[in-house]
Amino acid sequence: MTRIDTRFAQLKAAHRTGLIPFVTAGDPSPEHVVALMHALVDAGADLIELGVPFSDPMADGPVIQHASERAIAKGVGLHEVLGWVAAFRQRDADTPVVLMGYLNPVEIHGYARFAQEAVQAGVDGVLLVDCPLEESVVLQPLRDAGLRQILLAAPTTAPARMAELCGSAEGFLYYVSFAGITGAAHLSTGDIAARVADIRARAKAPVAVGFGIRDAASARAIAGFADAVVIGSALVEQLAGAVGAEEISARVHAFLAPIRAALDAD
Amino acid sequence: MPTIDDFHAWPDTHGRFGNYGGQYVAETLMAPLAELTAAYLRLRADPDFVAELDRDLTHYVGRPSPVYFAERLTKHVGGARILLKREDLNHTGAHKINNTVGQALVARHMGKTRIIAETGAGQHGVASATVAARLGLQCVVYMGATDIERQKINVYRMKLLGAEVVPVTSGSKTLKDALNEAMRDWVTNVADTFYIIGTVAGPHPYPLMVRDFNAIVGREARAQLLEQYGRLPDVLTACVGGGSNAIGLFHAFLNDRDVRIVGAEAAGEGIATGHHAASLAAGRPGVLHGNRTYVLCDDNGQITETHSVSAGLDYPGVGPEHAFLKDAGRAEYVGVTDDEALAAFHLLARTEGILAALESSHAVAQAIKLAREYPPDGIVLCNLSGRGDKDVHTIAAREGVSV
């Protein structure tokens, strides 16, 4: 079993909803990424989505765009990101790490080389936003190396295609709660509950819901019908400008603790 | 898979041109792209739609555009005859209207009420605002803040046509960032919005659809050459940013294997300086804006900022069909510098009384180089893709003239 599968099995056994924070690697500070990752786990993260900065993040709103621009300006690339995951693994062997980003940095790095280095660093999966199932043949070296490809499903996904995604899901299936970009505030839990329930009944993997979840109340609303919730832009916004490991850690705890508590409340 | 010998058979059903093209987009856009592909393929085969488009191209755009023998320019250069395909004489002053007229009709058939577009030089934005006004559709144009500054006239034209122009301040604040922002709008408003992409890039079916709508340029030119000169040209040339006017001219000639094809990319201050936009001549295969193609990026895969005196060529990717033609050896892609384009602009103005767009001036510069390679009875066919009125302020500023 992979770390991702183990973690979701543990959550299921404990009847808990998973908490998946997203942070852009290198923001607010390249020096403190590893400390930030440990702080996320200490504050209740079950799995970490680590964003690989890209110059042209077409699916992201302004918060993550700006975080990516700041990280790129500080020279952050895949090489640095993999190094941070390896450093994180020295003290944490259990928390799954999924790299989230866009295809071009991986393509330019080379798929086979990336697969080998990512597994060696302790990465468990990838979520490449602009690589839908139809184009995933290029990711075969990643699958061969044991990395999970996290697929997205969306409100616009047609029924036949949804069946295909449910059948191909591995690790977890990431359901995008509304048609839009990250960080927008469109969340309408009533509309998605039935949809997510249907997907959960059919998907070969657990279902995480993301986009639009920004606090304890919205996380709690989703927790009723998802295996995990993903929180990205709201956290990245909280962390922007934080200086030093202590301040980063304090902001992570202040932001995530109420969300963790809301997810765990009966 | 189609054979490599029949260049008219591409793309395949997945929207791939060999290794290039495809649909590299977020899941949310897969359904809208499938809907668009189905609608377009149906309309493309519908004689009523084709007739409707032909009527618009004739009576609204002003087609066919002439092929003009640039006799004094030819004499001045002293080589093969230089013929200009006069896309600058179209309504709105460039080839871009061929595509927007077509896509707007597709939008109307699909019941969409809102048009969005990205623009670099502003020509595609103007062409989109134009067709939106004519069909009574709402129009929003995304434009990089840097480009808004250097193309003020076109910004004002779009506003006069009733479009909203949204400045894009992310990234390099140019065409690629405008495209990102338009994609973000589309993913948010897919239900009522039609995204008119202005070049042969983006996810399938855009490279196919935009090429089809511009291919009338080459079909006309090929027939005009046969009728007026009794032969095909020796060589074609056109400027290549995203590559829509170039593929428009090239496509009808792709299976005429004796006709040489040369695309002129923006070499900016020179390819060796790194300040250029020559994706095919100096880039590498990668994935950008929904398709695999040649891109300009660093070793981390970050798309690099480009430079060209012409905003319309200032793009770090290129249409996937051009990437395919390059690898197949069917077309050559070479760089033309800012200075060479400006010299060609002035020479054409003084010898022929034509102010070419700065983008098209790159093609004229390349046509001049090619004409010198062929004997006097040879023919170089150059796509004069747009007129230069929009660029007079840029040229004046560059040459220290205040107007």
Side-chain angles (χ1 to χ4, degrees), chain A residues 4-234:
Chain A
I4 299 175
D5 299 336
T6 303
R7 179 51 49 95
F8 275 101
Q10 290 165 345
L11 286 166
K12 191 174 179 187
H15 302 287
R16 296 177 78 213
T17 304
L19 174 58
I20 306 179
F22 167 96
V23 291
T24 298
D27 187 72
S29 147
E31 290 76 38
H32 301 111
V33 176
V34 179
L36 167 58
M37 292 172 75
H38 288 304
L40 293 170
V41 175
D42 292 343
D46 294 298
L47 184 153
I48 295 173
E49 271 189 15
L50 194 57
V52 179
F54 180 51
S55 53
D56 293 78
M58 282 196 311
D60 285 302
V63 170
I64 294 175
Q65 285 173 45
H66 293 146
S68 299
E69 286 175 12
R70 289 190 294 265
I72 291 168
K74 290 172 185 162
V76 176
L78 259 184
H79 178 75
E80 287 73 24
V81 176
L82 293 173
W84 293 324
V85 175
F88 171 75
R89 278 279 168 257
Q90 292 179 359
R91 266 185 49 208
D92 189 325
D94 302 323
T95 307
V97 174
V98 170
L99 296 189
M100 183 164 183
Y102 294 80
L103 197 55
N104 199 54
V106 178
E107 167 130 346
I108 297 300
H109 200 80
Y111 293 103
R113 177 183 162 207
F114 170 80
Q116 192 211 337
E117 292 177 6
V119 168
Q120 204 160 19
V123 172
D124 301 289
V126 295
L127 199 173
L128 296 163
V129 179
D130 55 352
C131 190
L133 194 55
E134 285 77 355
E135 305 292 359
S136 298
V137 63
V138 294
L139 302 183
Q140 193 57 46
L142 280 62
R143 282 188 289 273
D144 291 346
L147 293 170
R148 298 294 200 186
Q149 183 193 358
I150 309 304
L151 293 169
L152 293 162
T156 52
T157 304
R161 189 177 160 77
M162 187 64 86
E164 205 180 336
L165 291 173
C166 285
S168 306
E170 52 183 31
F172 62 96
L173 185 63
Y174 185 133
Y175 183 72
V176 174
S177 70
F178 59 82
I181 53 176
T182 57
H186 289 208
L187 193 65
S188 170
T189 51
D191 297 346
I192 59 175
R195 178 103 167 150
V196 173
D198 173 57
I199 298 168
R200 269 178 96 189
R202 293 191 289 151
K204 277 172 55 193
V207 178
V209 175
F211 280 42
I213 302 163
R214 48 186 314 111
D215 51 24
S218 48
R220 175 79 184 142
I222 298 291
F225 52 84
D227 295 299
V229 298
V230 183
I231 301 190
S233 297

Side-chain angles (χ1 to χ4, degrees), chain B residues 28 39 147 182 193 203 235 250 276 304 329 345 367-368 392:
Chain B
T28 309
D147 291 337
T193 296
V235 56
F250 298 167
H276 62 81
T304 44
F345 171 89
I368 291 167
V392 294

